[in-house]
Amino acid sequence: MPKHLILCDCSGTQNLDQEALSQATGLPCSKVHSALCTTQVEQAATALEGEDAIICCAQEHRFFDALAEELGRPSPAYLDLRDRAGWTTDQASTLPKMSALVAEALLEIPTSKTVDVHSEGLCLILGAPDVAFAAAEKLQDTHAVTVLLEQPIDPPMTRAYDVISGHLRRAQGALGQFAVTIDQLQQLDVTGRNWTWDAPRDGGQSICDIILDLRGDRPLFPAPEKREGYVRADPKSPTALADAILTTSQLIGTFEKPLYVRSEPLLCAHSRAGQTGCTRCLDVCPTGAISPDGDHVSIDPMICAGCGSCASLCPSGAITYDAPPTDAQMRRIQTLAKAYLDAGGTAPRLLVVDAFGREMIELTARHGRGLPADVIPLSVDALNSFGHAEALAALTAGFAEVNVLLSPKAERDTQDHEIALAAAIAGDHLRLLEPADPDQLSEQLFAPAKGCAAVETPQRPMGTRRQITRQAAKALMPDADMLPLPEGAPYGAVLVASDKCTLCLSCVSLCPSGALGDNPDLPQLRFQEDACLQCGLCANVCPENAISYEPRLNLTSAALSQVVLHEEEPFACVECGTPFGVKSTIDKITEKLAGKHSMFANPDAARMIQMCDDCRVNAQFHQQNNPFAGADRPRVRTTEDYLSKRKDH
C-alpha cells in the first residue's frame, strides 16, 4: 500500500494545496485539517488506521506516537513541511519545495551502525574537597563513587563512597572504559578507630566508567564536550554543578554508541617505510580519536565524536562517513534537486544545516520571515561531513547555490577548506553563513541573489568522492581543461626536476595510490594525475629533493593515462648488450670508482660496474680469487675404497 500524506495547516497559518501536492508527489493526500493535535483527534486517529501514514507536522510527534500506541498501530513517519516551507513571508509558490521535501522523506536511508557501551556507574570525581564531597553525597546512592583529592586530608567518616589522594598523571578512554594512572597514590586504611593514609606510590592504575571533573582547571581531554562519559563543570557555578551532577546520574546502563566512520587501511596514505605522508585526519581530529598505526592510521570508535572532518579531508577514501553513508547523502541531495525541478521550480538553493541550524530555521519560521521558497534545507547530523564533493554534486544536480550554515560545534577550518576547494572548481556558487540570530539568517537568504545560474542539464555523478568531484567539475566547467586549486587540495600534479632526478624510483615503490610508476623496459618515471593524492610521500622520500607539487584539477583525458615525467638513455651491458640502469648514473659511478677504489683498482673489476646483474655474477665466478669459490670438495668415498682398505689389513 503506498504511503499517504496527512495534511494539517496548523490553524490556518499555512497554505496547503491538497490536489496540487498529490499531483506533484504522486502520493494520496488527506484533506487539509487544521488541528489534528487538539480538536480533531478523532480524525487523527482515523488517519492513523491507514498503513504508511506520513504526518506532515514534526512538532507534535510525541502526541501522535502516544495516539498510535493507544490504537495499537505502529508510529507514523513525520515530515516537517510547516517550519521548512509553509511558514514563510515569500509570496512565491512553495509547491516545488514541498514536493522536494516529500521526495526526500520517501528515501530509505540505512540506519547507523552502533555498538553497545556498558556503564556500571563507577565514577571518579576530581575537585576541591568541599565540592567533590558534596557531589559524591548526591551520587552515592546510584553510583560507585571515588573522590580523588590532590592532598591527603581528614575525610568524612563514611563508607558510602571511597576517598583517595594523588596526582592524576594520565586519563584515557571514554564512557564505560576510562583508564587512569595516578602518582603519589595514597589510600585510606579504614580499619580501627582512626583512619590513616598509607605510604604514597607512583603508577597506580585503575578503571572507571565516568569522570566528573570539578577542578575548574584545564580539561583532561581535547574537545572535552565531545568526550562521552567525561563531565566537566565550573565549581564556582551552582547551576553548572547541578547540571553536571544530573548528567552524571544518568550515565549508567547500556548505551548505543554510533560507529560514525568506516576505514579502509589499505587505501590510507599516511606513511610508507617509516616516511610520513598524509596527516590530514590526524591534524583535524578534535578528540584525538585518530592515531598513527604503522603505514596507516587507527580510529578509536569509542572516542570518535562523529564530526566528519576526517572523511571530508581524506584524499584516498580510506576514511568515509558512515552515519549515513556517503552514497545515501548524495541520493538525498540529488532527490531534492530533481523533485524540485520536476514540480516546476527553477534555480533552487541548498541550505545545509545541523541541529543548530534546524533550531534557527524553526525560530525564523515562527517569529520571523521563514525561509525563501527556493531555499531547500538539507539536515545533516555532522556539518563537516558535507564537504567539497557533496557541494559539487549539489550544483551538478541542479542547485544554483549551496549555503552552509556554520554551527558553533563545527570545525571552522574544515568548512573553510572545503568551501574554498569547491569554489575553486565551481566558481562563486557557495557561501558559508554565520548569522548572529534567526532574523539575520532570513536577511541573508532573502537578500538579492548573486545571479548564479544553475547548470543547464542536471546530472547525477556516481562513484567515490574523488570520482564524483571529477564528473561534477566536467559538468559544471565544460570548457575548462585545467583548474588551479588552493594549497592542500587532494588533486594535482607531481613535478620532477629533471636535473636532479636519478631515476632511483624510490617514489614509485612508496606511492600509495599507484599514481607513480616505472617502465620495466626503459629508465622512465611515469605518472597518472587522476590517481595522485598529493599526500607528500614521494617528495619526503626523494633523496635528491627533486619532487614538488602543483595543486590543480586536470579535466583532460591525459589525467586518466600515464605520462612520462622523466626518462634517460639506458646503459647497455658491455658484455651481453642488455639495457640496464641509467647511462648517466653508470657513467658517474664508473668515473668515481674505476681505478680509484681498492675493489675496482684493476680494469677487469672496474669493467664489472658496466655489466648487468647476470654478467657481473658470471664474471665474478670465473675471475681469480673468486669470492664465491670455496675449498676443493673432498672425493666421494666408494665401496671399492672400503674394500681396498680391508685388503691392506
Side-chain angles (χ1 to χ4, degrees), residues 154-155 157 186-191 193-199:
D154 291 335
M157 293 290 189
Q186 293 180 264
Q187 295 176 286
L188 279 171
D189 181 359
V190 297
T191 61
R193 187 172 184 181
N194 296 315
W195 293 359
T196 58
W197 294 94
D198 63 7

Side-chain angles (χ1 to χ4, degrees), residues 336-516:
L336 286 170
K338 185 178 186 302
Y340 183 93
L341 297 174
D342 289 347
T346 58
R349 293 182 289 161
L350 187 67
L351 176 63
V352 185
V353 298
D354 60 1
F356 171 80
R358 291 193 292 271
E359 184 179 0
M360 293 279 278
I361 291 175
E362 293 172 2
L363 291 173
T364 187
R366 181 174 293 276
H367 303 291
R369 301 175 65 184
L371 298 180
D374 65 341
V375 172
I376 304 178
L378 173 70
S379 177
V380 298
D381 291 331
L383 196 64
N384 286 335
S385 66
F386 188 92
H388 69 276
E390 289 77 9
L392 295 173
L395 295 174
T396 309
F399 284 101
E401 186 178 271
V402 173
N403 299 279
V404 178
L405 177 55
L406 192 64
S407 165
K409 294 184 178 180
E411 279 65 39
R412 176 65 182 264
D413 291 346
T414 301
Q415 282 300 318
D416 286 339
H417 178 275
E418 293 299 283
I419 290 291
L421 179 55
I425 296 173
D428 191 21
H429 291 262
L430 302 107
R431 285 195 300 174
L432 189 61
L433 305 181
E434 197 171 5
D437 53 51
D439 289 336
Q440 190 177 18
L441 172 63
S442 291
E443 290 175 6
Q444 293 176 346
L445 294 174
F446 272 98
K450 295 178 293 185
C452 296
V455 65
E456 292 184 4
T457 306
Q459 299 182 25
R460 292 185 169 190
M462 300 176 63
T464 65
R465 299 181 79 248
R466 291 182 67 87
Q467 292 168 338
I468 288 173
T469 298
R470 181 176 178 82
Q471 295 171 41
K474 289 178 71 67
L476 296 170
M477 310 294 286
D479 298 327
D481 290 335
M482 199 76 64
L483 299 175
L485 300 180
E487 289 294 326
Y491 313 96
V494 167
L495 307 179
V496 175
S498 298
D499 58 332
K500 295 181 179 179
C501 179
T502 61
L503 287 175
C504 68
L505 302 182
S506 297
C507 53
V508 172
S509 62
L510 297 185
C511 180
S513 65
L516 290 170

Side-chain angles (χ1 to χ4, degrees), residues 568-582:
E568 291 194 29
E569 180 184 354
F571 188 88
C573 173
V574 295
E575 192 71 21
C576 68
T578 302
F580 81 100
V582 181

Side-chain angles (χ1 to χ4, degrees), residues 41-203:
V41 175
E42 292 183 358
Q43 298 180 42
T46 302
L48 292 177
E49 289 294 339
E51 296 289 339
D52 295 327
I54 300 179
I55 305 292
C56 294
C57 173
Q59 175 179 288
E60 299 299 329
H61 65 89
R62 291 186 179 88
F63 168 79
F64 291 114
D65 282 345
L67 181 59
E69 183 178 0
E70 183 179 341
L71 296 172
R73 306 297 301 172
S75 296
Y78 297 97
L79 171 61
D80 180 12
L81 286 183
R82 186 192 67 186
D83 293 343
R84 297 191 291 173
W87 279 354
T88 177
T89 61
D90 196 339
Q91 299 302 310
S93 172
T94 59
L95 179 62
K97 181 178 183 178
M98 290 185 176
S99 301
L101 296 175
V102 170
E104 181 199 14
L106 296 177
L107 291 175
E108 294 185 3
I109 304 299
T111 57
S112 301
K113 302 179 181 67
T114 61
V115 61
D116 287 343
V117 175
H118 304 281
S119 171
E120 297 179 354
L122 301 177
C123 180
L124 177 66
I125 300 180
L126 313 175
D130 54 343
V131 176
F133 291 152
E137 290 174 2
K138 290 181 172 62
L139 295 170
Q140 63 186 9
D141 294 333
T142 56
H143 290 52
V145 178
T146 299
V147 176
L148 174 60
L149 303 175
E150 293 186 355
Q151 298 293 335
I153 63 171
D154 291 335
M157 293 290 189
T158 176
R159 296 299 295 137
Y161 54 85
D162 294 327
V163 181
I164 59 176
S165 174
H167 170 67
L168 183 62
R169 185 209 308 173
R170 183 177 61 186
Q172 56 188 15
L175 177 65
Q177 54 176 13
F178 284 108
V180 296
T181 302
I182 303 172
D183 289 337
Q184 297 297 306
L185 174 63
Q186 293 180 264
Q187 295 176 286
L188 279 171
D189 181 359
V190 297
T191 61
R193 187 172 184 181
N194 296 315
W195 293 359
T196 58
W197 294 94
D198 63 7
R201 60 187 177 88
D202 290 339

Side-chain angles (χ1 to χ4, degrees), residues 5 22-23 51 129 141 265 319 340 432 491 518 628 648:
L5 305 178
S22 178
Q23 183 178 359
E51 296 289 339
D141 294 333
I319 301 177
Y340 183 93
L432 189 61
Y491 313 96
D518 62 349
F628 300 109
D648 293 339

